[in-house]
Amino acid sequence: MKINENFDELAESYLFAEVARRTKIFADAHPEVRIIKMGIGDVTLPLAPAVSDAMKKAADEMAVKETFKGYPEYEGYEFLRNAISGYYGSFGVSVSSDEIFVNDGAKSDCGNIGDIFSTDCTVLVTDPVYPVYVDTNIMAGRKIVYAPSTAENGFCAMPDDNVHADIIYLCSPNNPTGAAYTADQLKKWIEYAINNDAVILYDAAYEAFISDDLPRSIFAVEGARKCAIELCSLSKTAGFTGVRCGYTVIPKELTFDGHSIKDLWYRRQSSKFNGVSYPVQRAAEAVFSPEGQKQTRENIMYYKRNAELIAKTMEKLGITYTGGRNSPYIWITCPDGMGSWEFFDYLLEKANVVATPGEGFGKCGKGCMRFTSFADHSSTVEAMERIEKAVN
Amino acid sequence: MKINENFDELAESYLFAEVARRTKIFADAHPEVRIIKMGIGDVTLPLAPAVSDAMKKAADEMAVKETFKGYPEYEGYEFLRNAISGYYGSFGVSVSSDEIFVNDGAKSDCGNIGDIFSTDCTVLVTDPVYPVYVDTNIMAGRKIVYAPSTAENGFCAMPDDNVHADIIYLCSPNNPTGAAYTADQLKKWIEYAINNDAVILYDAAYEAFISDDLPRSIFAVEGARKCAIELCSLSKTAGFTGVRCGYTVIPKELTFDGHSIKDLWYRRQSSKFNGVSYPVQRAAEAVFSPEGQKQTRENIMYYKRNAELIAKTMEKLGITYTGGRNSPYIWITCPDGMGSWEFFDYLLEKANVVATPGEGFGKCGKGCMRFTSFADHSSTVEAMERIEKAVN
């Protein structure tokens, strides 16, 4: 019996463990200090009342024989797929409900979608990168190439015609850099994908944070339906990190090797997945109701105010940054040429603030730092005041 | 860009589509007839009140900042893993909570567990078989060998020392045959696995239907901790087909190639899975409370009464069958040497009852038929009366 040897190629991620270790040493030595965590990747505001109510109503239905629901449909209930299709329509993108696959969170599909592609495919990721894209493809034994996101390209990596790739992961607004692609930039990626007979896996998990005139879906851009799959999530849109629901859009037109990708994915899901919890799907449906939209938008605006404050503070301090406007993340170039961990220690000691060292997200993250907008507003205000004093 | 070519090797499953097609033709021709469906694989009784209440309480917690829960732990909340560990203890099996991985249903892990094993492994399944074991391994490109479950071995396939396998799927009580392994039989499989340096993937989804003195877990049998992984589910135990929660047990001792299988699986899950919905985990915890156990046991007993009635009817008719006693399934040898589809048509026409032709589950299912106990009790009574008349 042999295990999957590709697992031996995975790098151990020490990032969050090392952040925790250094923070603990400091906290133990300075018990009087209140450390503010600006590295939080999870949401902190509760579910909207409309969402919680819908879930409770569904739980009640499940306890009555006449309204009990057994196995859900693999691709999600039609009521939810219709609601998602309507949501796309609200920002001018046409996605039909039979192109939508409901899941238990975008991360699952992000990793599992690889099942339908050959392990011989070359994968392109932008650097810095959400580690899931890299690790899941290392597990499958795929070759990975990196497109750098740097200050020079505004942290929006662009395609290089000299590099071939079969599977392209793009995340916009980006985790960790907070940068968001314009329609023109996405057009270039779509052209590159079509020229390379490649598929784009477009992670739109943070689309709800976009307020400028930027695409909220890759399907807002011409040509995308012939080369792209979109992965989306309610985690950040509606605080669903603990509820677990997302969705994947696969256009009918998407074919490779004469195979409908939508049909292949349905085949994969029907063998390895049994659909999403009924009460969770009802909760998700409520997100897209007028009341749910109003309530969840308020939470998004709360985080966006935090992001704006962090961005303004960096501007005031003359620190180069990206994100913060159409994204919950603010990605900074550490001042005075400091390294990621050097600035991490500096912030911890001088401002008692914890952020996430950029080099944990890839080579191009060296000398960078990620702040998130998910902390309390009052904590964010205090953290920024402290950082202003410490850096000035 | 190449797709995963193994998908081309998958056989289309026409079983349930063909059952539906023939049923529809008959129903359209005989609108006055009430057809009774005895092929139902889904549960029909509602959730226990204790379970629904726990889910509603959790949904309330999620709507309040102080009790809101974000990303769950990849392996499941400790409160649930402790409850599952306690449940194992209730029938004398020792499984510690850090050997338990909570999931969104056993089917997911059943398919995904293959990620940690080499695609060079040879897979052994018993025939007839739950199609998920076969299809997910065809997708991975693995070679599959079959161990026949026939009338000769009481529909309990046993190992053949002349056949080598690396990964062995066993399901007991079995879907579709309803047969359940004794401790002695499992001991032989464990010896075979150890001799072949193989892993047993033990599907115990129907353990709650066992009432005779048979193992409810493979870990009740000596040696299993060195070679087995157990997959379990609340789908049939507590009517969770629409709620989605199961669990996988990987003993600490289980190692291959010098790798801890538990650690490999954690690595896989942390990259491709983000845990189970908090309200679902609270609902699952409630299943194991004294009240939840009492209520869910009543539902199991309801189905078991149906199963007993079906079994008794077959006995009365002199039809050879297995299952029905420690299982929700009754697997019969069609009378008078009829083929599966021949007897299907006979039952539909003469008794207006629909069951599932055994050959849909594999070569060895030819000439067999599966009945399930998940219909209403009154429908089950009526179906058996009609079958008695039709067959006599």
Side-chain angles (χ1 to χ4, degrees), chain A residues 95-330:
Chain A
V95 161
S96 79
S97 59
D98 62 350
E99 297 176 317
I100 294 166
F101 293 81
V102 175
N103 60 39
D104 65 327
K107 186 178 172 187
S108 301
D109 281 12
C110 220
N112 292 333
I113 195 92
D115 282 4
I116 64 173
F117 301 121
S118 168
T119 52
D120 292 336
C121 290
T122 296
V123 170
L124 181 148
V125 299
T126 62
D127 175 8
V129 63
Y130 176 45
V132 164
Y133 311 152
V134 174
D135 288 353
T136 58
N137 282 293
I138 289 176
M139 286 176 190
R142 292 197 184 91
K143 185 189 158 193
I144 299 174
V145 294
Y146 294 84
S149 300
T150 59
E152 286 70 47
N153 56 32
F155 296 96
C156 286
M158 294 304 296
D160 176 349
D161 286 332
N162 299 312
V163 174
H164 171 75
D166 303 293
I167 299 173
I168 301 155
Y169 285 85
L170 298 178
C171 176
S172 178
N174 190 269
N175 175 17
T177 74
Y181 281 118
T182 64
D184 282 346
Q185 288 174 321
L186 287 179
K187 190 91 193 74
K188 291 207 174 75
W189 276 111
I190 289 167
E191 282 162 13
Y192 170 82
I194 290 171
N195 289 339
N196 279 273
D197 192 35
V199 66
I200 294 174
L201 303 177
Y202 191 76
D203 185 343
Y206 305 98
E207 59 79 17
F209 286 81
I210 292 178
S211 37
D212 291 340
D213 185 24
L214 295 169
R216 287 174 63 179
S217 160
I218 194 165
F219 301 119
V221 184
E222 210 197 315
R225 291 181 61 89
K226 279 179 282 181
C227 65
I229 291 172
E230 185 156 291
L231 302 149
C232 209
S233 162
L234 296 178
S235 283
K236 305 296 159 75
T237 306
F240 264 48
T241 54
V243 179
R244 314 299 319 136
C245 194
Y247 46 96
T248 294
V249 178
I250 309 184
K252 292 187 196 88
E253 294 94 313
L254 195 66
T255 58
F256 287 98
D257 269 359
H259 291 74
S260 155
I261 296 303
K262 183 167 126 37
D263 292 351
L264 280 182
W265 182 240
Y266 183 85
R267 191 69 175 85
R268 188 273 173 205
Q269 289 295 79
S270 62
S271 293
K272 294 198 185 184
F273 184 61
N274 239 339
V276 172
S277 184
Y278 173 69
V280 168
Q281 292 199 54
R282 281 294 183 197
E285 181 193 26
V287 169
F288 301 107
S289 68
E291 206 188 348
Q293 278 294 293
K294 190 176 159 289
Q295 292 168 355
T296 52
R297 287 306 301 169
E298 279 169 19
N299 289 0
I300 297 271
M301 293 316 292
Y302 179 96
Y303 297 134
K304 280 175 72 74
R305 273 193 298 275
N306 285 347
E308 195 179 13
L309 175 64
I310 300 167
K312 269 193 184 153
T313 306
M314 298 306 146
E315 210 162 301
K316 209 190 285 181
L317 292 170
I319 291 175
T320 311
Y321 74 94
T322 183
R325 188 162 166 75
N326 299 295
S327 160
Y329 299 122
I330 297 90

Side-chain angles (χ1 to χ4, degrees), chain B residues 70 202 239 286:
Chain B
Y202 191 77

Side-chain angles (χ1 to χ4, degrees), chain A residues 61 68 143 275 337:
Chain A
E61 286 177 52
F68 174 76
K143 185 189 158 193

Side-chain angles (χ1 to χ4, degrees), chain B residues 216-287:
Chain B
R216 288 176 61 179
S217 160
I218 194 165
F219 300 119
V221 185
E222 209 197 314
R225 291 181 60 88
K226 278 180 280 180
C227 65
I229 292 172
E230 185 156 292
L231 302 148
C232 209
S233 163
L234 296 178
S235 283
K236 306 295 159 76
T237 306
F240 264 48
T241 53
V243 179
R244 313 301 317 135
C245 195
Y247 45 95
T248 295
V249 178
I250 309 183
K252 292 187 196 89
E253 294 94 313
L254 194 67
T255 58
F256 288 98
D257 269 1
H259 291 74
S260 155
I261 297 302
K262 182 165 127 38
D263 291 351
L264 280 182
W265 182 242
Y266 184 84
R267 190 69 175 86
R268 189 274 174 203
Q269 291 294 78
S270 62
S271 292
K272 293 199 186 184
F273 184 59
N274 239 338
V276 172
S277 185
Y278 173 71
V280 169
Q281 292 198 54
R282 282 293 184 197
E285 181 194 26
V287 169

